Structures are given as structure tokens and as C-alpha cells.
Amino acid sequence: MSKATVSAPKPAAGTGVYDGVDHSEPTGHGNSPAAWTTVFVMLLGALVMAIAFVIANTPIFIAGGVVMVIGLLVGFGMRKAGYGVGGSKLKNSGH
């Protein structure tokens, strides 16, 4: 047997996935009424689907999937109505 040490290959400098990312502008976390409503409705749909899966009820499972799609549509509609990040309904009017 050889007693030579084996080490993992080291990547070349500057080849990372995040090398070209601009970190000077904060990305935010989607904190808006549209985002929170979307998450809440989709979690409700996921809960319905999980319960339906456990009790092996296909129609209820599909209904949970429909609730999740409705959550996406509600969030998209709220964003278009100005309740998304930087939306017109969320601007501070100075009062």
C-alpha cells in the first residue's frame, strides 16, 4: 500500500456560481400583502392535499391542488392591483 496523502481537487479561483452576483442592492424577501396571501392560501391547499393523501381520497386531493392554483392566481392578481413589493397601494404618502 502507498502512504501518499490524497486530497480533494481544488477549484480554480473565480469559477463559483455567485461570482457575477451584485450584492450592492438588497433582494428583499417578498414581504407584501400579495406574497403573504399567496403563501397562506397555498399552505392551506397543501394541508388539504396532505390530509387527502393520508385518507386516500382523490377528489379532495385534486381540490387541494385547485386551491393551490387559486392561491397563485390570487397572488398574481393582488400584485397587479398594487399590493406586491413596491406596489402603488403600498407607497408611503407622507401622512
Side-chain angles (χ1 to χ4, degrees):
M1 243 202 262
S2 172
K3 293 187 179 190
T5 346
V6 178
S7 62
K10 296 179 182 170
T15 60
V17 176
Y18 300 106
D19 286 341
V21 177
D22 179 21
H23 294 285
S24 62
E25 186 76 27
T27 57
H29 295 284
N31 290 330
S32 68
W36 282 106
T37 304
T38 301
V39 168
F40 179 74
V41 173
M42 290 187 74
L43 280 173
L44 184 64
L47 176 65
V48 169
M49 289 178 78
I51 292 170
F53 182 80
V54 170
I55 63 174
N57 192 326
T58 304
I60 294 177
F61 185 84
I62 293 171
V66 169
V67 169
M68 291 186 75
V69 170
I70 289 170
L72 281 174
L73 296 174
V74 166
F76 182 75
M78 287 182 71
R79 187 181 68 167
K80 289 295 183 185
Y83 291 101
V85 174
S88 62
K89 305 282 183 174
L90 302 179
K91 301 271 187 214
N92 187 358
S93 63
H95 293 147

